[in-house]
């Protein structure tokens, strides 16, 4: 029996299948081999991490073994775990992904935390999420702010459909609306809080992205124009119509874009130097979010 290959015809125990999958993923150069193998085995079996440990000596059922084999083969070809499962955990929420949505990364939780820590006495804000995708940012904020309401907009109908489904699954659809809209559209209602994780990759850098991003995230959720800053300029040009005077603005950025985005917002009249404003760093110590206040009128 070949215990290094979960596709063998011989019945493997759960522990043996997990060990074999870790080795195969490691041999394919996947740095997160152990974590990916465990998550995919949980997916294939429907067991929790604790149950995998407790039942490790049991035989892996044939149907679960086939699902696991297919998942490991896809991961070895570069398919991200979240894309294979069609789901991503974000801010403690289980979000469904779609082909037209960006796969929300843990770094984006920095933006959610930044907003929550800067709301002050604003307990019932109206939140606008530009380029909402799965709805991750908006839904995380609504989850933490039971009296808040929000509107997520996106240029992709498919992304909006997925965001609506996520809102419904989380019991948030009563407080979350979704709108088909591009970056230049100004809504009828100004927001108290404007958030966005816009496309910010410079077009010439798209080809150099990691394969799991380049081949599986939608291009228009990544392409920020020639210098990666086009969406920020479009947002800045519309601040007066998007956000109330002095309203909170929080935008995710590429780690080299902080000063450029601050400059764009400052030129538009936003306050980027007040208390709690400016750059916010992620857990890796890189600039990840720009926080500002809308121009006061």
């Amino acid at each position: 029996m070949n215990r290094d290959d979960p596709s063998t015809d011989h019945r493997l125990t759960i522990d043996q299948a997990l060990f074999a999958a870790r080795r195969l993923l490691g041999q394919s150069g996947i740095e997160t081999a152990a974590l990916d193998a465990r998550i995919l085995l949980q997916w294939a079996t429907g067991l929790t991490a604790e149950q995998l440990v407790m039942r490790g000596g049991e035989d892996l059922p044939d149907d679960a073994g086939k699902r696991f084999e297919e998942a490991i083969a896809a991961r070895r070809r570069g398919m991200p775990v979240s894309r294979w499962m069609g789901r991503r955990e974000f801010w403690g929420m289980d979000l469904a992904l779609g082909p037209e949505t960006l796969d929300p990364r843990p770094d984006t939780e920095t933006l959610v935390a930044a907003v929550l820590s800067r709301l002050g006495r604003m307990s019932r804000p109206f939140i606008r999420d530009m380029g909402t995708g799965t709805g991750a940012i908006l839904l995380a904020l609504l989850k933490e702010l039971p009296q808040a309401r929000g509107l997520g907009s996106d240029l992709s109908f498919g992304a909006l459909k997925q965001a609506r489904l996520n809102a419904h699954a989380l019991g948030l659809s009563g407080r979350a609306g979704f709108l088909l809209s591009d970056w230049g559209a100004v809504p009828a209602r100004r927001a108290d809080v404007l958030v966005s994780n816009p496309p910010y990759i410079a077009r010439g850098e798209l080809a150099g992205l990691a394969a799991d991003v380049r081949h599986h995230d939608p291009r228009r959720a990544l392409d920020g124009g020639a210098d990666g800053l086009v969406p920020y300029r479009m947002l800045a040009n519309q601040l007066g119509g998007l956000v109330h005077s002095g309203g909170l603005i929080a935008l995710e950025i590429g780690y080299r874009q902080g000063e450029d985005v601050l400059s764009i917002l400052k030129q538009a009249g936003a306050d980027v130097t007040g208390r709690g404003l400016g750059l916010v760093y992620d857990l890796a110590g890189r600039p990840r979010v720009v926080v500002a206040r809308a121009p006061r009128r």
Side-chain angles (χ1 to χ4, degrees):
M1 179 170 63
N2 181 5
R3 297 185 178 184
D4 290 338
D5 187 347
S7 65
T8 178
D9 291 335
H10 297 281
R11 181 71 66 87
L12 298 177
T13 66
I14 289 173
D15 279 346
Q16 289 168 346
L18 185 59
F19 177 77
R22 285 201 308 259
R23 289 197 51 159
L24 285 173
L25 294 181
Q27 290 167 0
S28 297
I30 296 173
E31 295 181 0
T32 54
L35 175 62
D36 292 358
R38 178 179 59 77
I39 292 173
L40 289 173
L41 187 54
Q42 286 179 238
W43 169 83
T45 60
L47 300 176
T48 66
E50 293 78 11
Q51 289 171 329
L52 287 183
V53 173
M54 296 295 295
R55 299 170 60 175
E58 297 180 12
D59 285 345
L60 182 66
D62 289 338
D63 56 344
K66 182 169 181 55
R67 288 194 297 271
F68 190 45
E69 174 189 346
E70 293 172 349
I72 292 300
R75 185 69 186 105
R76 294 183 75 188
R77 294 193 300 269
M79 172 77 77
V81 169
S82 53
R83 287 290 179 190
W84 175 260
M85 298 190 303
R87 315 201 70 82
R88 162 72 78 169
E89 182 180 349
F90 181 88
W91 200 263
M93 305 179 299
D94 181 33
L95 297 176
L97 306 179
E100 296 183 44
T101 67
L102 192 72
D103 182 355
R105 269 59 170 191
D107 285 341
T108 302
E109 294 184 348
T110 305
L111 190 156
V112 177
V115 171
L116 292 173
S117 67
R118 289 162 172 80
L119 284 175
R121 298 179 182 178
M122 196 188 305
S123 61
R124 306 181 61 165
F126 179 69
I127 303 164
R128 179 73 189 271
D129 180 12
M130 301 283 285
T132 194
T134 60
I137 297 171
L138 176 61
L139 298 177
L141 291 171
L142 295 182
K143 172 188 172 186
E144 298 297 333
L145 301 166
Q147 296 182 343
R149 303 181 71 83
L151 176 67
S153 61
D154 205 288
L155 186 61
S156 164
F157 180 80
L160 290 173
K161 180 179 179 180
Q162 198 65 67
R164 289 191 186 100
L165 290 172
N166 284 328
H168 178 75
L170 294 166
L172 297 170
S173 55
R175 294 189 287 125
F178 297 96
L179 175 70
L180 189 69
S181 173
D182 64 20
W183 292 99
V186 177
R189 178 180 180 182
R190 292 187 180 97
D192 301 301
V193 180
L194 174 68
V195 296
S196 183
N197 177 16
Y200 56 70
I201 307 299
R203 190 164 296 151
E205 297 177 1
L206 291 172
L209 293 174
D212 56 350
V213 175
R214 187 172 71 252
H215 296 317
H216 299 284
D217 278 336
R219 181 184 176 96
R220 68 180 172 187
L222 301 171
D223 187 346
D227 61 357
L229 299 171
V230 170
Y232 300 103
R233 295 190 185 96
M234 296 182 73
L235 288 174
N237 289 337
Q238 304 289 347
L239 286 182
L242 291 173
V243 199
H244 285 302
S245 174
L248 187 65
I249 302 165
L251 309 176
E252 182 166 337
I253 58 170
Y255 71 94
R256 294 176 295 181
Q257 295 174 319
E259 294 303 324
D260 289 330
V261 176
L262 287 172
S263 177
I264 289 169
L265 292 173
K266 185 176 180 179
Q267 290 174 20
D271 179 7
V272 298
T273 60
R275 182 177 179 182
L277 306 181
L279 298 178
V280 180
Y281 295 77
D282 61 24
L283 293 178
R286 289 181 165 181
R288 181 59 54 187
V289 176
V290 163
V291 180
R293 291 280 178 185
R296 296 190 180 276
R297 296 179 292 276

